[in-house]
Amino acid sequence: MTRASTGPQRRVRAIVLAAGKGTRMKSATPKVLHEICGRPMLWYVLRALRSAGITEIVTVINDELQERMDEFGVQGILQAEQLGTGHAVQTALAQMPAADGGCIVVAYGDMPLVNDELFRGIVGSLGANGSAASLAMVTVRMPLPSNFGRVVRRGHDVERIVEVRDATPAELAIEEMNAGIYAYDEQALRDAAGRLRNDNAQREYYLTDTIADFVSAGKRVVPVMATDHLHVLGINDRVELARARREMNERLCAQHMRDGVTIVDPQATYLEPELEIGRDTVIYPNTAIGRLSRIGEGCVIGPNSRLSAATIGNGAAIRESVIIESTVGNDVTIGPFAHLRGNTQLADGVHIGNFVEVKNSKLARGVKASHLSYLGDAEIGEGSNIGAGTITCNFDGVRKNKTTIGRNVSIGSNTSLVAPVTVGDGALTGASSVVTRDVPPGERVAGNPARPLPKK
Ligand code: UD1
Ligand code: CA
């Protein structure tokens, strides 16, 4: 329910609570840093706030989180001792200069599936400065049993929130829960936060006690019901973490499918946020794509492939292969069972076949390496063919050395290229050559060490 706004626009700031130790994760990593789909949980909460237009955000953190705050671009406020959600909010407010008629959104950092609509909804429902409400809060119907606080109503009105550990059996039977997402009138919050007490089962200062405080003072609390309880799933252990990941992955897949990508089996496709995938690309199962990868149109990716920080052109086919921090042109075919890494760059029409590893190498248009090769620190010119079993011997025990192969070169099967070494345009190496010295353009060499063959 949205109240007609009377007063001027409010300044909206957010406090994200993330200082809890998350003991049920049983982890050396702070809870909100556990990842779903390649991003820490906290990242999703901040993204949802920002896309709701809320950019002034502080995060209440513990000492373990302190060093990681830079990557999130928000101010961290240390709550040295975790004395409850109410205490966390008091700690934040003490560091935030008061704003007249402000709105303070409070959210929990362990709720990665939250979306911007919920935030917009409560800020809108709180109403502009001068509206009668002191709080708009998200409630949700959820299957029992649940460890969420229960919303106790009197008639239509919210009366108070009772935590599971303080609830009577009758209260535990209530199916309307407190989601843990609030938009407060700033002054009302500051007043109520100062009055919180810890006389409850957990001896904590509960933020949720602000609700009964408002009600007893005759102030309005506006409940906003969430449509889907998954949106407010709080992650407390690794079972819930896996459930959240599945839901997030489903959303990511759905978004790309709606944008024209065929995902044969979304449940067996693992995506991250911030990917670009072109139309009519088909993704086969057991494929993971992450780290800002960009994939063109009309590609075939998978099955059984992993792409990380990969840039792929149009019409490429990548099967049963791994591509990490590398760039692939149009109409390239890769795999099965190939491995590209270390800033490898493949131009259009390159073919990389089975059991070929390419590291930090540049292959020009139309190069073929079809079978069983290692190409490391190499530059290979247009149209060259790399025979089965070719190895660039790039490491001399101290440093990595470069192999340069010209255009239209034919490297025979099982050639060892002992770098640093250059093979000129149009040259040829015979099967099992061990190339220890540069080969001039047009020359044919063979043997160990490789020597020129008589001219035909
Ligand atoms: C809280 C709510 C409950 C609601 C549920 C929704 C309270 C008292 N209870 O319970 O009504 O249904 O969330 O998920 O608010 N935190 C701090 N400092 C602290 C304590 C907690 O920063 O001192 C942070 C935690 O890191 C976490 C969030 O606050 O991100 C929620 O704390 P948690 O202890 O998980 O609250 P719940 O028991 O789940
Ligand atoms: Ca929780």
Side-chain angles (χ1 to χ4, degrees):
M1 171 167 66
T2 310
R3 287 232 125 195
S5 52
T6 45
Q9 281 293 101
R10 292 173 185 266
R11 172 178 177 192
V12 182
R13 291 181 288 177
I15 302 173
V16 177
L17 305 191
K21 289 291 184 200
T23 41
R24 279 171 285 172
M25 295 300 281
K26 307 207 169 127
S27 175
T29 305
K31 177 162 81 173
V32 296
L33 296 185
H34 278 261
E35 293 190 351
I36 68 169
C37 303
R39 299 287 186 286
M41 295 189 218
L42 178 59
W43 182 90
Y44 292 96
V45 178
L46 298 175
R47 179 177 69 165
L49 282 166
R50 287 174 178 138
S51 58
I54 303 165
T55 54
E56 290 189 82
I57 306 170
V58 301
T59 303
V60 179
I61 56 170
N62 58 42
D63 42 5
E64 290 158 18
L65 264 171
Q66 225 161 359
E67 58 214 49
R68 291 279 302 269
M69 282 330 282
D70 283 356
E71 73 190 70
F72 294 104
V74 291
Q75 185 195 347
I77 292 175
L78 184 66
Q79 184 194 21
E81 246 189 307
Q82 284 71 54
L83 303 178
T85 50
H87 177 260
V89 168
Q90 288 169 349
T91 306
L93 287 174
Q95 303 288 314
M96 298 164 74
D100 259 0
C103 164
I104 301 282
V105 169
V106 179
Y108 299 158
D110 59 1
M111 228 173 257
L113 298 175
V114 65
N115 59 22
D116 54 337
E117 262 170 66
L118 280 176
F119 290 126
R120 282 209 189 86
I122 51 172
V123 171
S125 295
L126 180 68
N129 190 12
S131 89
S134 294
L135 168 64
M137 60 178 288
V138 179
T139 73
V140 60
R141 284 200 181 281
M142 202 177 267
L144 295 171
S146 160
N147 54 18
F148 274 41
R150 305 298 201 264
V151 178
V152 181
R153 295 210 186 214
R154 185 168 30 194
H156 279 307
D157 296 334
V158 173
E159 187 181 69
R160 61 195 164 90
I161 307 300
V162 59
E163 295 304 303
V164 167
R165 290 178 59 180
D166 304 298
T168 64
E171 288 165 342
L172 283 179
I174 297 173
E175 286 181 356
E176 186 182 15
M177 316 281 167
N178 169 33
I181 301 168
Y182 321 86
Y184 283 95
D185 172 74
E186 180 172 336
Q187 197 50 55
L189 174 62
R190 285 185 188 271
D191 293 346
R195 286 192 291 269
L196 291 176
R197 295 161 40 134
N198 66 348
D199 49 357
N200 51 55
Q202 304 186 75
R203 314 236 40 97
E204 287 186 358
Y205 296 90
Y206 291 162
L207 179 62
T208 42
D209 285 349
T210 54
I211 287 131
D213 181 287
F214 292 155
V215 170
S216 65
K219 295 177 173 162
R220 277 197 55 200
V221 173
V222 184
V224 177
M225 182 88 75
T227 50
D228 186 343
H229 70 87
L230 273 179
H231 291 174
V232 297
L233 179 67
I235 312 301
N236 295 304
D237 61 29
R238 299 191 203 224
V239 176
E240 289 165 337
L241 186 72
R243 195 176 303 153
R245 190 215 60 80
R246 194 174 59 210
E247 165 70 14
M248 181 59 72
N249 191 64
E250 216 169 286
R251 285 190 201 171
L252 292 166
C253 287
Q255 175 206 322
H256 288 290
M257 291 189 284
R258 291 200 181 94
D259 288 345
V261 176
T262 294
I263 298 179
V264 173
D265 184 356
Q267 285 186 37
T269 301
Y270 306 89
L271 302 185
E272 288 185 4
E274 303 181 293
L275 300 173
E276 283 174 32
I277 309 176
R279 283 174 174 224
D280 291 321
T281 284
V282 180
I283 302 175
Y284 286 95
N286 297 323
T287 294
I289 305 174
R291 292 269 313 283
L292 306 174
S293 289
R294 290 182 3 235
I295 297 170
E297 299 184 356
C299 294
V300 172
I301 311 288
N304 306 320
S305 295
R306 181 157 59 94
L307 274 62
S308 176
T311 303
I312 313 290
N314 299 326
I318 294 161
R319 297 187 171 90
E320 282 102 354
S321 290
V322 174
I323 301 185
I324 297 169
E325 288 164 3
S326 292
T327 301
V328 166
N330 300 323
D331 306 312
V332 165
T333 57
I334 293 174
F337 314 114
H339 183 191
L340 270 52
R341 63 189 176 95
N343 192 30
T344 282
Q345 296 173 45
L346 307 186
D348 296 349
V350 166
H351 170 63
I352 299 295
N354 38 200
F355 306 108
V356 175
E357 177 181 357
V358 191
K359 185 216 76 169
N360 185 35
S361 293
K362 256 174 114 161
L363 276 56
R365 187 184 279 269
V367 168
K368 289 189 171 67
S370 302
H371 331 269
L372 300 156
S373 288
Y374 173 58
L375 305 172
D377 306 303
E379 192 162 342
I380 305 178
E382 205 170 312
S384 289
N385 186 68
I386 309 300
T390 295
I391 305 291
T392 53
C393 311
N394 61 329
F395 189 49
D396 58 15
V398 180
R399 61 179 79 79
K400 301 287 170 66
N401 298 298
K402 186 172 178 183
T403 300
T404 307
I405 297 173
R407 300 156 155 251
N408 301 315
V409 170
S410 183
I411 300 291
S413 294
N414 215 27
T415 294
S416 297
L417 297 153
V418 182
V421 73
T422 297
V423 181
D425 292 348
L428 172 151
T429 69
S432 286
S433 298
V434 178
V435 181
T436 56
R437 285 186 309 193
D438 290 354
V439 179
E443 191 152 280
R444 298 146 51 87
V445 301
N448 176 9
R451 295 187 203 289
L453 293 171
K455 297 258 184 305
K456 273 199 232 174

